[in-house]
């Protein structure tokens, strides 16, 4: 009996030690599943990704190919020139729209919408204390005006929203429309206005995507539109989310990412002034 007592004692000590170690680890393991932090491969501590931040980082705007036929052309920035009547500003009048620059330096400003009456966003560097005449115009492919409206300058420089009202004709499917945003800074009209212009086309998404859009929350709808190359709805949803949550860092990051993807980094920090049609 004496010869067997030593191994038995050693086994009991080892078993007790393992049990104690397991018990001490249970709260730690439980905490790690509930906590917002996880350990990396090197044993360090890193924060678990916020779902909103992850979505923001993962979302990219897939710019569609130019439509067949003549190049859209256009102008994404309308810079003031000395002697042109417009007050010089740090940033130019800018349309928040996708554009491409061809090898011959021709700019094509073009984007898609699914809405009959979409919204446009413009960075306006001028304020209402200046006597400038501002106008927004939409034309069909035959250069006929289907909508035009005088636009009031904002209280301070920033991004404004302009929408087609319910009284305006609806955009037809698969038709291209020209739009113009002009600022005439010369009351005598001896100098040409500063302006931006581009082409918009209304398209139809497949039924499965439409169903998905109806059943999800706004930030995911933004991601779906962006991934499907639908610029105008993606921008509008993100602008609305930013206005409702001005301190949300993830939304701020996504706004910067979206504008950077179309080479408008300098506009990303400018305030969104109005969410009214």
């Amino acid at each position: 009996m004496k010869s067997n007592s030593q191994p038995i004692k050693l086994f009991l000590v080892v078993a007790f030690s393992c049990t104690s170690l397991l018990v001490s680890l249970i709260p730690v393991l439980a905490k790690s599943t509930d906590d917002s932090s996880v350990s990396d491969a090197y044993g360090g501590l890193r924060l678990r990704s916020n779902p909103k931040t992850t979505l923001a980082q993962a979302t990219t705007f897939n710019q569609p190919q130019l439509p067949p036929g003549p190049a859209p052309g256009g102008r994404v920035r309308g810079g003031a020139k000395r002697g042109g009547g417009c007050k010089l500003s740090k940033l130019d009048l800018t349309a928040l729209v996708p554009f491409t620059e061809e090898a011959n330096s021709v700019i094509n400003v073009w984007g898609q919408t699914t809405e009959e009456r979409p919204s446009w966003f413009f960075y306006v560097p001028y304020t209402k204390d200046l006597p400038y005449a501002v106008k927004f115009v939409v034309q069909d492919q035959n250069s006929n005006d289907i909508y035009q409206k005088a636009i009031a300058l904002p209280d301070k420089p920033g991004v404004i929203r302009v929408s087609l009202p319910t009284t305006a004709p609806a955009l037809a499917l698969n038709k291209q429309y020209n739009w113009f945003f002009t600022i005439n800074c010369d009351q005598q009209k001896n100098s040409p206005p500063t302006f931006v212009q581009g082409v918009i086309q209304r398209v139809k998404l497949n039924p499965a995507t439409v169903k998905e859009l109806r059943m999800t929350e706004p930030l995911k709808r933004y991601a779906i539109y962006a991934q499907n190359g639908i610029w105008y709805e993606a921008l509008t949803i993100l602008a609305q989310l930013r206005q409702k949550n001005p301190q949300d860092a993830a939304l701020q990051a996504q706004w910067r990412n979206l504008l950077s993807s179309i080479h408008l980094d300098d506009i990303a920090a400018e305030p969104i002034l109005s969410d009214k049609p």
Side-chain angles (χ1 to χ4, degrees):
M1 294 292 294
K2 190 173 183 180
S3 59
N4 294 331
S5 62
Q6 198 68 19
I8 292 173
K9 288 182 180 180
L10 180 61
F11 172 79
L12 291 175
V13 170
V14 171
F16 179 79
S17 299
C18 291
T19 303
S20 300
L21 178 61
L22 181 60
V23 170
S24 66
L25 282 175
I26 287 174
V28 176
L29 293 171
K31 185 176 185 298
S32 68
T33 59
D34 297 331
D35 206 337
S36 60
S37 60
V38 294
S39 295
D40 62 21
Y42 301 97
L45 195 66
R46 59 183 174 85
L47 293 178
R48 187 184 300 277
S49 298
N50 181 299
K52 188 182 292 185
T53 304
T54 302
L55 179 63
Q57 292 171 342
T59 301
T60 57
F61 174 68
N62 294 324
Q63 189 162 330
Q65 295 294 317
L66 291 175
R75 183 183 177 98
V76 77
R77 297 186 190 263
K81 298 180 180 178
R82 293 189 181 278
C86 288
K87 179 182 178 182
L88 295 176
S89 56
K90 180 183 70 172
L91 296 173
D92 294 331
L93 168 67
T94 304
L96 275 62
V97 289
F99 66 96
T100 59
E101 186 171 1
E102 307 305 320
N104 55 3
S105 298
V106 171
I107 300 293
N108 288 309
V109 183
W110 181 75
Q112 293 180 331
T113 182
T114 62
E115 296 289 335
E116 292 184 343
R117 296 175 179 85
S119 295
W120 288 256
F121 288 81
F122 303 95
Y123 170 76
V124 180
Y126 309 119
T127 55
K128 65 181 183 180
D129 58 310
L130 297 168
Y132 297 166
V134 185
K135 186 165 64 173
F136 176 69
V137 178
V138 180
Q139 296 180 341
D140 63 20
Q141 288 180 297
N142 298 317
S143 299
N144 299 311
D145 290 0
I146 68 164
Y147 179 72
Q148 62 173 301
K149 178 180 175 60
I151 304 296
L153 286 171
D155 293 336
K156 61 180 182 178
V159 174
I160 67 168
R161 176 183 177 184
V162 181
S163 302
L164 282 185
T166 55
T167 54
L171 301 187
L173 271 172
N174 302 317
K175 299 286 186 181
Q176 294 180 34
Y177 295 84
N178 294 294
W179 53 262
F180 304 84
F181 188 95
T182 62
I183 301 181
N184 198 321
C185 307
D186 184 356
Q187 290 181 294
Q188 306 302 318
K189 297 187 177 179
N190 294 322
S191 302
T194 182
F195 68 95
V196 289
Q197 71 175 99
V199 172
I200 187 172
Q201 182 175 10
R202 182 181 162 216
V203 297
K204 190 174 182 178
L205 292 171
N206 65 64
T209 303
V210 172
K211 182 179 180 180
E212 187 179 5
L213 285 165
R214 288 174 180 166
M215 298 176 65
T216 192
E217 49 91 16
L219 189 59
K220 289 184 180 178
R221 287 205 302 272
Y222 155 71
I224 293 169
Y225 279 122
Q227 290 160 1
N228 282 275
I230 308 299
W231 174 260
Y232 287 90
E233 281 69 86
L235 184 71
T236 299
I237 290 173
L238 194 55
Q240 290 173 331
L241 286 172
R242 281 211 61 209
Q243 287 190 297
K244 291 177 182 177
N245 307 278
Q247 304 304 319
D248 191 308
L251 292 175
Q252 292 172 8
Q254 184 55 64
W255 182 259
R256 289 193 300 271
N257 292 342
L258 183 63
L259 294 188
S260 295
S261 73
I262 60 167
H263 313 294
L264 295 181
D265 312 64
D266 55 340
I267 304 299
E270 299 303 314
I272 304 171
L273 300 180
S274 175
D275 192 37
K276 296 180 181 178

